[in-house]
Amino acid sequence: MNIEWFKFVGYVLPAVAMALNFAARFKTLTNERISIYKDIKPLCTAIEMKPYEIKAIDKEIKNLILFEVTRIRNPLLAQQHLKILSCNDLNDVQKSKIKKLAHCIDQEANDTATGNKEIKFILNKGKYKKRRVEGFGYIIACLIAYYIFFFSALSLPKEDIPIAIAMLVMSLGLIWIILVTIATYPLYGLYKDNQEIIDSLNIFYDEI
C-alpha cells in the first residue's frame, strides 16, 4: 500500500489549519487594536500628554474604526464610502459593487443656497481603467506563479516531499490572492454599466 498520499495529507492539513487560524486571528486584530487605544485614551489626560499626541491617537483610532466598518484601508476612501452608504438605500450586492469601485470614484462638490455642499459621486474613467488593469495584472502574475509552483511540486522526486508540500502550500496561497483580487477589483462589467451605478447614487449633503 502506497502511504505517500498519507504523508502528503499529513503535511497539507496542518498547513491549511495554520492558514485558517492566521486568517481568523488577522480578522480580529483591528478590533483588538481599537480596544487597546480605547483603554489607553483616558491615560492621555492623566499623564498630561501634549495636545498633538492626543490628536494623533484620536486620528489612529478613527482610521482603525473606518477600516473596520468599510474594510477600506485608505481613510479618505473609507469616508467617501460611508457618505455613499449614508444617503443611499443599498442591498449587499450593490454595496459590494460600489466598494470595488471605491478607488475610482471622485467627488464633485457644489455650494448650495443654505451654505451646505452638494457632493455628487462620479466614476473616473482613467482611474477605473488603471484599477482594472492592475487587477488583471495581479491575477495573471499569480496564475503563472501558481502553475510554476504546482507542477514543479508534482515533478519532484519522493525524497523531496517536504519541499513539494511547501510549494503546494504556496500555490494555495496564490489562489487566495486571486480570490481576494476578484473580490476587491472591478474586473467584471463594462465601464458604462458601472458608470450608471455611480450616477444613480443620491447626492450627499455635507452640513457645515
Side-chain angles (χ1 to χ4, degrees), residues 16-32:
V16 172
M18 289 176 62
L20 293 175
N21 181 62
F22 176 79
R25 181 65 179 169
F26 184 77
K27 186 176 181 180
T28 60
L29 185 61
T30 302
N31 283 332
E32 292 180 358

Side-chain angles (χ1 to χ4, degrees), residues 14-174:
V16 172
M18 289 176 62
L20 293 175
N21 181 62
F22 176 79
R25 181 65 179 169
F26 184 77
K27 186 176 181 180
T28 60
L29 185 61
T30 302
N31 283 332
E32 292 180 358
R33 290 176 63 191
I34 292 174
S35 298
I36 291 172
Y37 279 111
K38 184 181 68 175
D39 292 338
I40 68 175
K41 183 66 187 297
L43 297 176
C44 298
T45 304
I47 62 177
E48 298 180 352
M49 292 182 66
K50 302 295 184 182
Y52 70 86
E53 295 173 328
I54 297 176
K55 184 177 180 180
I57 293 174
D58 287 339
K59 184 178 180 180
E60 185 68 18
I61 295 174
K62 179 181 177 180
N63 290 343
L64 288 171
I65 293 174
L66 287 173
F67 172 69
E68 181 62 26
V69 173
T70 64
R71 313 310 296 180
I72 298 174
R73 293 194 176 278
N74 188 312
L76 295 178
L77 295 180
Q79 291 175 341
Q80 176 179 269
H81 190 67
L82 289 180
K83 289 178 182 178
I84 293 174
L85 296 181
S86 68
C87 62
N88 292 275
D89 187 14
L90 305 171
N91 56 40
D92 291 338
V93 175
Q94 292 171 324
K95 290 178 183 178
S96 177
K97 289 182 178 179
I98 292 173
K99 186 180 292 186
K100 290 182 180 181
L101 298 169
H103 292 77
C104 318
I105 300 174
D106 288 340
Q107 300 181 50
E108 184 180 86
N110 297 304
D111 295 327
T112 64
T114 59
N116 298 337
K117 287 185 179 295
E118 289 182 346
I119 297 179
K120 180 177 175 59
F121 304 102
I122 302 171
L123 184 62
N124 186 304
K125 191 172 185 178
K127 293 180 180 178
Y128 173 81
K129 289 183 176 180
K130 181 180 178 181
R131 183 77 174 168
R132 197 170 191 182
V133 169
E134 287 179 355
F136 280 117
Y138 287 140
I139 290 178
I140 293 172
C142 287
L143 283 175
I144 293 173
Y146 168 78
Y147 283 112
I148 292 174
F149 281 121
F150 185 79
F151 289 107
S152 296
L154 294 181
S155 63
L156 289 174
K158 296 180 179 179
E159 295 77 14
D160 295 327
I161 286 181
I163 298 176
I165 296 298
M167 296 178 71
L168 287 173
V169 171
M170 285 190 286
S171 67
L172 293 175
L174 291 169

